[in-house]
Amino acid sequence: GDSWGIFTFLCAALCNLPALPALNCSEELGAGQSIQQTYDLTRYLEHQLRTLAGTYLNYLGPPFNEPDFNPPRLARAERVPSATVDLDLWRGLTDNARLAANYRAYSRLLCYLRVLDGQVGTAELRHRLAHFCASLQGLVLSIGGVMSSLGYPLPAGPAGPPAPPGAPVAPNDFLKKMDDFWLLKELQTWLWRSAKDFNRLKKKVPPAVVTLRLEARGF
């Protein structure tokens, strides 16, 4: 009947597919999707850090958990990569330079956070820090993927340890807490600025476009 005829026609068409002109599918501008994913991850980390920071500052206690606590940055905290760069100067950098700065900063911040994870006294907070560290590691890898997709080399050399040999340790508990406070504060600023960076970058690089090319063979 008609059903058998349709089935026979489909079988014949499938058998003759190799004789048809090749239909190739190629993905262009794949960096766009990578940038979008990295942007989404920075926004997720921003949200995640708001909860983590509140919990950790409560763990540190007063005055660190007070909303109006805004101490000057100590010289000790300079080891933590600072995001307090003039915005006009930052925007004047090339995309490659900004991506490299983000990659290096998050690699170092991740080292500090892992040390922090091993020092906290509560299991719940350690679990939250470990989860955040895993997400931040994903961000480092994602930024590296964006750089590779745009043809930029990764910054040379792995991130060094947060406290190199001979580096002074905090002489008292208050200064140690101050180091932790500035680590979270700088991380919040980096994520805020990175989200803006990747939002601008994704507007410059369109999302992935799938194109079909017909290779004429014998036509």
Side-chain angles (χ1 to χ4, degrees), residues 4 25 56 63 70 93 95 112 142 153 155 168-169 172 176 192-193:
W4 179 253
C25 176
Y56 195 84
N70 189 27
L93 298 175
D95 293 334
Y112 283 100
S142 188
V169 296
N172 57 57
K176 170 62 177 65
W192 171 81
R193 191 171 64 189

Side-chain angles (χ1 to χ4, degrees), residues 76-99:
R76 291 182 42 77
E78 293 301 324
R79 291 184 295 122
V80 176
S82 176
T84 53
V85 178
D86 180 76
L87 283 178
D88 290 334
L89 178 62
W90 180 258
R91 290 174 183 172
L93 298 175
T94 64
D95 293 334
N96 187 10
R98 281 194 301 271
L99 286 167

Side-chain angles (χ1 to χ4, degrees), residues 73 77-83 104-106 108-109 112 186 190:
R73 185 178 175 115
E78 293 301 324
R79 291 184 295 122
V80 176
S82 176
R104 285 192 297 265
Y106 289 121
R108 289 184 57 196
L109 288 165
Y112 283 100
E186 288 294 349
W190 272 105

Side-chain angles (χ1 to χ4, degrees), residues 46-214:
E46 277 189 290
H47 172 75
Q48 195 177 357
L49 183 60
R50 279 194 291 270
T51 302
L52 175 62
T55 303
Y56 195 84
L57 293 178
N58 285 332
Y59 168 76
L60 294 180
F64 301 97
N65 60 345
E66 296 172 359
D68 58 347
F69 183 62
N70 189 27
R73 185 178 175 115
L74 302 177
R76 291 182 42 77
E78 293 301 324
R79 291 184 295 122
V80 176
S82 176
T84 53
V85 178
D86 180 76
L87 283 178
D88 290 334
L89 178 62
W90 180 258
R91 290 174 183 172
L93 298 175
T94 64
D95 293 334
N96 187 10
R98 281 194 301 271
L99 286 167
N102 276 283
Y103 184 88
R104 285 192 297 265
Y106 289 121
S107 297
R108 289 184 57 196
L109 288 165
L110 181 60
C111 290
Y112 283 100
L113 280 171
R114 283 173 171 161
V115 172
L116 209 65
D117 184 24
Q119 295 174 345
V120 296
T122 68
E124 180 185 357
L125 190 51
R126 283 198 302 272
H127 175 75
R128 290 192 178 190
L129 278 167
H131 180 66
F132 186 84
C133 284
S135 299
L136 193 62
Q137 175 66 50
L139 179 61
V140 173
L141 295 174
S142 188
I143 294 173
V146 170
M147 295 185 71
S148 297
S149 66
L150 293 174
Y152 302 144
L154 294 181
V169 296
N172 57 57
D173 186 58
F174 181 83
L175 290 180
K176 170 62 177 65
K177 291 180 177 181
M178 186 72 81
D179 288 345
D180 296 349
F181 174 85
W182 273 107
L183 172 60
L184 295 174
K185 191 175 181 67
E186 288 294 349
L187 186 53
Q188 285 177 323
T189 308
W190 272 105
L191 288 171
W192 171 81
R193 191 171 64 189
S194 294
K196 292 187 175 296
D197 287 345
F198 286 106
N199 189 43
R200 285 192 297 269
L201 190 58
K202 71 177 183 175
K203 293 176 182 177
K204 295 172 63 176
V205 181
V209 176
V210 175
T211 60
L212 299 177
R213 292 200 308 270
L214 191 65

